[in-house]
Amino acid sequence: MPPGILTTLAADHVTLAADKVELSPANTGFMLIATALVMVMTPALAFFYGGMVRVKSVLNMLMMSFISLGLVTVLWVLYGFSLAFGTDHGSVIGWSGDYVGLSGIGLTELWDGYSIPVYVFAAFQLMFAILTPALISGALADRVKFSAWALFIVLWVTIVYFPVAHWVWGAGGWLFELGVIDFAGGTAVHINAGAAALGVIFVVGKRIGFKKDPMRPHSLPLVMLGAGLLWFGWFGFNAGSWLGNDDGVGAVAFLNTQVATGAAMLGWLAYEKLRHGSFTTLGAASGAVAGLVAITPACGSVSPLGSIAIGIIAGVLCAMAVGLKYRFGYDDSLDVVGVHLVGGVVGSLLIGFFATGGVQSDAKGLFYGGGLAQLGKQSVGVVCVLLYSLVISFVLAKVVDLVMGFRVSEDEELAGVDQVAHAETAYDYGGTGGGTALPRTAASAPGSAAGSAPGSGDTPAQGAEDGTAPASQAGSSAQAQGGTPGKAKKVDV
């Protein structure tokens, strides 16, 4: 937000002057805590995604998130912060020489109009930049080269994330100036990552056995742990985005985050029970994340009652959306498109209906007498970020594929990317002495589906065949807990 302007009376005239802002130890401490909470979200995401894949891909899934912590941190210091939040150039990109290398910033220099140091603001925004490409990785489970993924992150944050962050949040950014409301990242983070995931999927293609072989989550406790940590970290993600809490807006954002998340979980579970007959742990975790995604752009502009509505709508629509991959044939492994893209679109657009005009700004939605003006602005932001990220991400993935190949070979995919890329396995079933997972005499005859050793990564899962499939091949439904009826279990050697 730009610095506030106040009116002062002096002698016989009126003078307009910018507020004199001083460093606030309280706001600075609050923002450092919020920054740490957002940092925790990336390893939390790694656990959330890691639990949903098969055993043979767990470590790779964890590493696809963790590598972002290293790569994006270095890029952010070198030039990312300058591109995203430097002096505006043409409303499309920023650049400030003092921000290159973060070398020209004073120790107590304040972020313009706020009572926190520039260093704190840069650290807070860095955590968003780290998390966003990590979100994409869930769509690519089991089948991409780790080195290619690392190169894609470098290209994507440079050409997609940094510019989009400037459009949405940078002073002078064209979506910011248009009046698009995105409190904490509905467009810049979730729509951006979800559309990018779809673009990369078109290049990488489907996993071997998609819609045929069971691909059950290997550890639902890990999924629940990751979801719980994401929920915890999201309070810093949303409440911290006001960059202080002098006026109570951050407190409203905090409460709305909790309310919408709980409502979305209930909405997802209710849909799941009606559609598939059971309440599942994976459905609860996925519903909570859908609510977190949807309330992210809206938490500073709606009331708690509006948050309930947004949460329920997002929970139901995202639960419905994750099955679209079976109808349209794209392999979104862990439902990044269904949850983050759809949830981000839902939350961003519903601002145009539920914005009260009494929290973050005076912009009102349709249900509060504001007409369709704000909905129109939100629609522009949604469509432009979605199309830009989708197209450019497809092109970048194609470039990476041509340069070094984005996907592992068929044999490597069947063997498991953990062994291929990292020379490790997540679980040692051989005991302290090592060895094979099962005694050789215990293995069944060659070709028998029963002879798969624990740890091979071939845990049973739902194998939906069409668009009527239960929520997610990763297991976001009651039927995710069992194998596909009538199909023999595939054994990877």
Side-chain angles (χ1 to χ4, degrees):
M1 299 289 289
I5 302 295
L6 56 83
T7 303
T8 59
L9 297 175
D12 298 323
H13 65 278
V14 178
T15 303
L16 293 178
D19 287 337
K20 178 176 176 58
V21 181
E22 297 181 352
L23 189 149
S24 167
N27 283 339
T28 299
F30 169 75
M31 288 306 302
L32 288 172
I33 294 171
T35 300
L37 287 172
V38 182
M39 182 272 163
V40 168
M41 292 174 65
T42 297
L45 180 74
F47 282 123
F48 181 69
Y49 282 167
M52 284 197 282
V53 297
R54 292 170 288 175
V55 172
K56 63 182 179 181
S57 304
V58 181
L59 298 179
N60 181 253
M61 200 72 258
L62 297 175
M63 281 292 289
M64 288 177 78
S65 289
F66 265 76
I67 192 63
S68 186
L69 284 162
L71 290 173
V72 179
T73 297
V74 173
L75 297 178
W76 187 254
V77 171
L78 294 178
Y79 59 80
F81 182 61
S82 184
L83 288 175
F85 292 100
T87 302
D88 177 69
H89 293 274
S91 297
V92 295
I93 199 66
W95 187 261
S96 295
D98 288 345
Y99 293 164
V100 176
L102 301 182
S103 58
I105 301 172
L107 186 64
T108 59
E109 180 181 343
L110 301 183
W111 185 243
D112 191 17
Y114 294 89
S115 57
I116 62 172
V118 174
Y119 279 124
V120 174
F121 177 76
F124 182 68
Q125 289 295 335
L126 165 61
M127 302 310 167
F128 284 69
I130 289 170
L131 178 67
T132 306
L135 293 172
I136 303 170
S137 66
L140 310 175
D142 300 336
R143 61 197 189 276
V144 299
K145 295 179 180 177
F146 186 69
S147 55
W149 168 245
L151 175 59
F152 177 79
I153 287 179
V154 172
L155 297 174
W156 190 83
V157 295
T158 302
I159 301 173
V160 179
Y161 181 79
F162 297 154
V164 170
H166 182 76
W167 298 356
V168 175
W169 293 319
W174 73 275
L175 290 178
F176 179 86
E177 296 297 327
L178 179 64
V180 175
I181 295 175
D182 187 352
F183 194 87
T187 53
V189 176
H190 297 291
I191 294 175
N192 203 3
L198 188 59
V200 180
I201 288 169
F202 291 150
V203 174
V204 172
K206 308 169 188 176
R207 287 169 292 177
I208 297 172
F210 175 65
K211 295 205 300 184
K212 297 179 181 178
D213 296 335
M215 298 179 182
R216 181 183 178 182
H218 92 282
S219 176
L220 290 173
L222 276 185
V223 175
M224 295 295 282
L225 173 64
L229 289 174
L230 281 171
W231 195 331
F232 175 68
W234 224 290
F235 291 118
F237 195 85
N238 284 358
S241 290
W242 196 240
L243 306 184
N245 199 28
D246 293 331
D247 53 8
V249 174
V252 175
F254 189 108
L255 178 61
N256 285 341
T257 300
Q258 174 69 21
V259 171
T261 305
M265 181 177 65
L266 297 178
W268 187 300
L269 287 173
Y271 173 84
E272 188 175 62
K273 175 64 175 178
L274 293 173
R275 182 70 176 83
H276 306 299
S278 298
F279 304 112
T280 68
T281 54
L282 191 52
S286 300
V289 173
L292 291 166
V293 171
I295 199 59
T296 290
C299 61
S301 57
V302 303
S303 69
L305 286 176
S307 297
I308 292 177
I310 290 173
I312 292 174
I313 293 169
V316 172
L317 291 182
C318 289
M320 297 171 64
V322 296
L324 295 177
K325 62 185 179 184
Y326 301 112
R327 184 178 299 277
F328 296 108
Y330 61 91
D331 186 6
D332 176 18
S333 310
L334 308 182
D335 302 319
V336 179
V337 176
V339 174
H340 292 277
L341 177 57
V342 174
V345 169
V346 168
S348 297
L349 293 181
L350 288 181
I351 292 172
F353 294 93
F354 292 105
T356 65
V359 189
Q360 170 186 357
S361 69
D362 59 3
K364 295 183 178 181
L366 178 64
F367 296 159
Y368 289 83
L372 296 174
Q374 191 60 43
L375 179 59
K377 294 175 182 179
Q378 297 302 119
S379 299
V380 171
V382 165
V383 171
C384 290
V385 171
L386 193 161
L387 291 178
Y388 179 77
S389 183
L390 176 65
V391 173
I392 301 302
S393 300
F394 174 85
V395 172
L396 293 177
K398 202 70 176 176
V399 169
V400 171
D401 193 43
L402 291 173
V403 169
M404 61 188 306
F406 211 136
R407 185 163 180 161
V408 298
S409 69
E410 181 175 342
D411 288 343
E412 290 172 334
E413 182 176 342
L414 290 174
V417 285
D418 282 2
Q419 286 282 13
V420 172
H422 311 294
E424 298 171 307
T425 57
Y427 306 103
D428 179 8
Y429 291 101
T432 56
T436 60
L438 286 177
R440 185 174 299 275
T441 57
S444 56
S448 169
S452 177
S456 66
D458 302 294
T459 48
Q462 147 197 9
E465 297 294 337
D466 55 34
T468 64
S472 166
Q473 186 166 354
S476 304
S477 71
Q479 294 187 22
Q481 308 311 310
T484 306
K487 289 184 178 289
K489 180 179 173 185
K490 179 178 176 62
V491 178
D492 295 340
V493 179

